[in-house]
Amino acid sequence: MRAGSTRFYPWILALGLTTFACQPSETLPGEGSDENETVVYRDTWGVAHVYAPTVSAGLYAMGWAMAEDRPEQLLVNFALALGEYSKVVGEGAVPSDLRSKMFDHYGAGQRGFEQMSETFRGHTQSFADGMNAFYAGHPEDVPDWWGEREIDAAMVLAFGRLFLYNWSIDEAYGDLQRGGIAPGYRPPSRGSNQFAVAPERSAAGAALLAVDPHLAWEGPSRFWEFRIHAGELVGSGVTLPGSPYIGLGHNRKVAWAMTTGGPDTADVFALELDEEGSRYRYDDGWRDLDQRQVTLEIADGESQEHTLYFSHHGPVIARDGNRAWSARIAYDDLVTMEPWYLLSTAEDYTGAVAALATLTVFPQNVMVADTSGNIYYQRTGRVPVRSEDFDWSRPVDGSTSASEWQGVHPATDHLQVLNPPHGWMQNNNIPPDAMMPNSPFSLDETRDYLYSGPGYGPERCCWTSQRGARAIELLQSDDSVTVEEAEAYINDVEPYGAGRWIEALRSAQAASPEALTAEATEALELLSSWDRQLRADSAGALQYELWRQQLLDDLGREKVGAIAAGIDDYYAIVEGREETPVAVSEEAQAQLLESLARATKRRLETYGPEGTYGDRFRVGRGGQSWPVGGGGGRTGTTTLRNLGFGPEREDGTRWGRGGQTSTQVVLLTDPPQSWQYLPLGQSDRPTSPHYADQAERLFSTRQLKPTWWLPEELAEHIESRTVLEGAPQ
């Protein structure tokens, strides 16, 4: 604690949970009585700050604190990886369990653990031991379906594989669908934002990085926030419950972000089966399909037996008569924690380059900034070398050796750039050519499958999104970005191009002045004076969103898309040209007006004349909710602050259920400074004061909090201190 401070806080000893009153201390966390101890501090937001003498001890404490915050979800995550989720929720989870069994996450984890270096085996085991120590001391937190078993290190690796492998699995199912075969599987929605600013465009003269993943707010992809000081593992950020090290965030020298979108790392091979369906043709002969029997336990139901089939390409993911399709994933049996450790301990951007060179990071856009002033980007993944004789975006002929992969591209083949000349870059799930003006990346200059997987947009290049266009608009106009501006940009709530839609609406009204009712005419005036921000307190924002949703309800996606083709011109800002004039047919103009009238009637009946965007859109948990700004989805109201909402409730509200999951802004001074929030709260325990405190006090108001990741910062904001006496040294 800083000299002169008289703050008091409880000291809690883990074994026995003895509580003592604290006396004023002149020492900082990690010093004095903390030396050679493994300690979990909680700050006033309930976030865990780990102080430990070694990396292994720190990972033990991470596992312990993670289990304390997310006791059931942590075990659910492992059940998902093991293919045992049906045991938890019933028959609806059978397809998920079969995929986990099909791709053998746990078996790969077992084999991978034995093949890892002694260092990484020790780290993974210590992490598992910390979780087990918590559950041993808190058996009431162990659900009946888990039983009395302990978490083993292979489960940790299996869960990491489940999460990271799924990008490639979804690519394979996308190939299947593009080939005209219904996959019977709907991939989860994923997205993210990131931008990096070089020192010459930063007000502080240091690089800035914005980290903004967009995933579900509940379930296995909900991040866990923490800080750590454990040997060489020092930093701040988030990871998934069940995964060690810093997943996204920063250490003492380097910060890193990732967004969905990357090279193509999976393929589907079409097979011709014999009459019995037990063999498949390959070159001049036949090969046997391997078989594996699996048993699934079903909650409140009878267990099920399933047979899985495998060719040498990989598991069979679809069959139809004498045809079958096998998926091959470029990562094969690879299971490793090495890239995350290298990121967590990197000294500058070259450490991140080394992490990506392992070719074990899933397909992503990786953006890095360091305290030396560098900003770096790589479109990374483990990418097979493929013959140019096949269309790899669809199933290819698996009956010939001509379609076999020819090795793996080294990371030096990946698209990458260091310190772009204009001093900033951004990616919001868009192609590399749209990341910045005068992009160094061109589809014509590289293999298409290295440039982009086929599933991340309408085409591999030459398009951008509302988020991508808005990011360029903000960043290119600011040559001295402050931290406050960086926070505002990553939380921006203006749907790019909204003004052009209102222009089209006004043109429609001018062409048919009698078409609108008095109420709809007032609504048009409301839209005309609206500041184009989807703020929680904005009536204009509510009217705009309801109108765009009504258009979709009235016309369907295809017809709305045809209208949008004459209005939206997002790519103009990438090319640095004037936008094309708004062009809407007479028929479409009439449709715009009709939908406005219906949306206005709905707004007045449901929300009243004073209703605002936050009266409809909320962030909530445990029966309470708070107004929220920002938008997402497919109505044309997507903002950089990307949020996904659940269906409309009886009271007319829609509660957020995905989008921003762990937004961070990092200023790469030495040492770095960082700010962050979660959409809900740190704890999954409804009785905890940190169950929804960030939703109410931070997320609703778009206000990031300081991370207090340094000891001198934490000292003034300590809520509790727990010593873990069983940690390894």
Side-chain angles (χ1 to χ4, degrees):
M1 193 171 289
R2 291 178 179 173
S5 171
T6 57
R7 181 176 295 274
F8 292 81
Y9 53 90
W11 297 57
I12 304 172
L13 296 180
L15 302 181
L17 300 178
T18 307
T19 303
F20 299 91
C22 170
Q23 297 299 315
S25 172
E26 300 297 323
T27 61
L28 296 172
E31 300 177 358
S33 59
D34 282 357
E35 286 193 34
N36 298 316
E37 298 280 9
T38 299
V39 184
V40 176
Y41 286 94
R42 297 282 184 177
D43 67 25
T44 50
W45 293 101
V47 175
H49 295 243
V50 170
Y51 285 80
T54 65
V55 173
S56 290
L59 293 175
Y60 178 97
M62 267 187 72
W64 191 94
M66 197 179 277
E68 184 178 40
D69 286 336
R70 310 279 178 86
E72 183 164 14
Q73 185 63 60
L74 185 58
L75 296 177
V76 165
N77 288 0
F78 293 132
L80 284 162
L82 293 168
E84 297 181 6
Y85 195 41
S86 301
K87 187 177 177 181
V88 183
V89 299
E91 193 167 0
V94 166
S96 169
D97 284 346
L98 288 177
R99 281 192 298 275
S100 290
K101 299 288 190 183
M102 186 184 300
F103 291 100
D104 196 23
H105 298 311
Y106 186 55
Q110 292 173 309
R111 294 185 293 273
F113 183 71
E114 294 303 319
Q115 295 166 6
M116 291 168 68
S117 70
E118 183 177 351
T119 295
F120 291 123
R121 282 203 305 272
H123 287 179
T124 309
Q125 188 62 57
S126 293
F127 180 63
D129 289 345
M131 291 182 278
N132 288 324
F134 177 84
Y135 290 118
H138 302 82
E140 70 280 3
D141 282 330
V142 180
D144 291 340
W145 54 262
W146 182 256
E148 298 181 357
R149 59 184 165 172
E150 289 193 339
I151 298 164
D152 62 45
M155 293 179 189
V156 174
L157 298 177
F159 174 66
R161 192 172 190 264
L162 166 79
F163 184 78
L164 305 180
Y165 219 70
N166 271 347
W167 266 260
S168 299
I169 292 174
D170 292 346
E171 286 180 347
Y173 279 98
D175 288 354
L176 193 68
Q177 190 166 26
R178 281 183 289 275
I181 302 96
Y185 164 63
R186 185 177 180 179
S189 176
R190 302 186 186 101
S192 299
N193 292 335
Q194 61 184 4
F195 64 78
V197 178
E200 61 267 25
R201 293 185 71 97
S202 163
L208 271 163
L209 185 71
V211 187
D212 189 28
H214 302 159
L215 295 165
W217 291 354
E218 300 287 357
S221 60
R222 179 171 166 245
F223 283 110
W224 180 74
E225 183 178 1
F226 72 106
R227 328 284 175 233
I228 191 164
H229 296 255
E232 60 184 345
L233 181 58
V234 176
S236 169
V238 296
T239 191
L240 295 168
S243 294
Y245 308 123
I246 303 169
L248 296 170
H250 69 88
N251 61 28
R252 289 175 287 197
K253 299 288 185 180
V254 180
W256 59 96
M258 298 184 187
T259 68
T260 289
D264 189 356
T265 60
D267 289 313
V268 171
F269 293 84
L271 308 177
E272 176 190 347
L273 304 181
D274 65 8
E275 291 183 0
E276 290 77 25
S278 61
R279 298 187 302 166
Y280 63 99
R281 187 183 297 280
Y282 189 73
D283 284 340
D284 296 327
W286 294 87
R287 293 191 177 189
D288 291 333
L289 283 174
D290 293 331
Q291 298 183 29
R292 183 186 308 157
Q293 304 296 320
V294 297
T295 302
L296 301 182
E297 294 184 42
I298 312 297
D300 301 322
E302 295 182 358
S303 61
Q304 296 182 5
E305 300 289 333
H306 293 267
T307 303
L308 305 177
Y309 296 89
F310 303 83
S311 74
H312 76 283
H313 298 294
V316 172
I317 62 173
R319 293 183 69 152
D320 182 14
N322 69 338
R323 299 185 303 162
W325 292 266
S326 276
R328 186 172 181 189
I329 309 300
Y331 298 86
D332 293 324
D333 220 20
L334 288 172
V335 180
T336 179
M337 293 287 123
E338 183 180 6
W340 310 104
Y341 178 75
L342 292 174
L343 284 168
S344 296
T345 57
E347 291 291 323
D348 59 23
Y349 83 93
T350 62
V353 174
L356 303 182
T358 65
L359 302 179
T360 54
V361 175
F362 54 121
Q364 291 283 283
N365 300 285
V366 179
M367 209 165 276
V368 177
D370 66 27
T371 56
S372 299
N374 298 296
I375 60 174
Y376 172 78
Y377 165 85
Q378 185 179 133
R379 198 166 178 87
T380 196
R382 186 176 180 85
V383 188
V385 178
R386 300 164 164 109
S387 166
E388 296 183 1
D389 295 333
F390 297 89
D391 177 3
W392 295 96
S393 69
R394 299 169 181 271
V396 300
D397 185 358
S399 69
T400 171
S401 55
S403 64
E404 293 289 353
W405 290 348
Q406 302 161 12
V408 178
H409 285 277
T412 50
D413 285 354
H414 295 169
L415 276 64
Q416 51 199 291
V417 64
L418 174 66
N419 298 326
H422 51 277
W424 60 268
M425 51 187 168
Q426 56 87 26
N427 191 288
N428 306 280
N429 318 122
I430 55 175
D433 57 281
M435 289 173 52
M436 61 197 95
N438 302 313
S439 171
F441 306 122
S442 170
L443 179 59
D444 296 336
E445 297 175 2
T446 189
R447 298 273 189 100
D448 60 356
Y449 61 75
L450 276 168
Y451 195 82
S452 180
Y456 293 116
E459 302 291 345
R460 293 187 195 258
C461 78
C462 310
W463 61 272
T464 192
S465 63
Q466 282 185 290
R467 287 182 287 129
R470 180 60 173 160
I472 289 179
E473 183 178 41
L474 293 168
L475 291 168
Q476 73 178 0
S477 64
D478 191 344
D479 60 5
S480 184
V481 181
T482 65
V483 168
E484 293 75 18
E485 287 170 333
E487 292 184 12
Y489 296 164
I490 207 64
N491 270 317
D492 184 73
V493 294
E494 179 173 324
Y496 188 84
R500 288 170 63 85
W501 281 84
I502 296 171
E503 178 189 340
L505 192 56
R506 291 193 64 85
S507 296
Q509 193 263 351
S512 304
E514 306 302 322
L516 290 180
T517 63
E519 290 84 1
T521 300
E522 289 183 6
L524 179 54
E525 293 307 313
L526 176 63
L527 288 176
S528 299
S529 61
W530 172 49
D531 65 0
R532 314 294 193 263
Q533 304 286 311
L534 297 182
R535 290 182 292 101
D537 61 355
S538 172
L542 175 62
Q543 178 67 62
Y544 184 76
E545 192 281 332
L546 288 172
W547 173 53
R548 294 299 303 271
Q549 181 63 61
Q550 190 67 53
L551 267 175
L552 200 59
D553 294 343
D554 291 345
L555 304 179
R557 196 167 309 284
E558 185 175 341
K559 288 184 177 179
V560 171
I563 295 173
I567 299 175
D568 294 330
D569 189 11
Y570 303 151
Y571 202 66
I573 198 167
V574 177
E575 296 183 313
R577 58 170 172 80
E578 292 292 324
E579 294 177 321
T580 57
V582 172
V584 180
S585 69
E586 289 185 11
E587 179 184 2
Q589 286 182 334
Q591 292 169 335
L592 296 180
L593 296 176
E594 289 172 10
S595 294
L596 177 66
R598 292 191 183 97
T600 302
K601 184 174 185 293
R602 185 181 180 199
R603 175 176 65 87
L604 295 174
E605 289 178 350
T606 306
Y607 306 98
E610 304 301 321
T612 64
Y613 191 81
D615 292 332
R616 176 168 170 79
F617 294 103
R618 316 283 289 180
V619 55
R621 199 179 197 195
Q624 290 185 290
S625 70
W626 300 271
V628 70
R634 299 183 178 182
T635 59
T637 55
T638 298
T639 61
L640 277 169
R641 192 195 201 197
N642 194 29
L643 304 178
F645 296 93
E648 187 169 313
R649 301 158 72 98
E650 290 184 2
D651 61 359
T653 63
R654 294 181 62 188
W655 287 22
R657 63 183 183 185
Q660 288 189 327
T661 57
S662 55
T663 306
Q664 305 174 59
V665 170
V666 186
L667 180 65
L668 276 301
T669 50
D670 192 3
Q673 303 168 60
S674 53
W675 298 260
Q676 182 174 355
Y677 64 29
L678 301 177
L680 301 175
Q682 179 73 5
S683 176
D684 274 0
R685 300 176 185 274
T687 57
S688 169
H690 307 301
Y691 184 66
D693 55 342
Q694 295 195 46
E696 177 184 10
R697 296 163 54 194
L698 299 174
F699 198 82
S700 175
T701 60
R702 289 189 286 156
Q703 181 66 48
L704 275 67
K705 66 183 185 303
T707 60
W708 303 322
W709 78 281
L710 292 171
E712 55 269 29
E713 297 169 338
L714 172 63
E716 294 297 318
H717 304 279
I718 295 172
E719 184 174 87
S720 67
R721 174 181 181 269
T722 304
V723 178
L724 304 183
E725 296 183 352
Q729 295 299 309

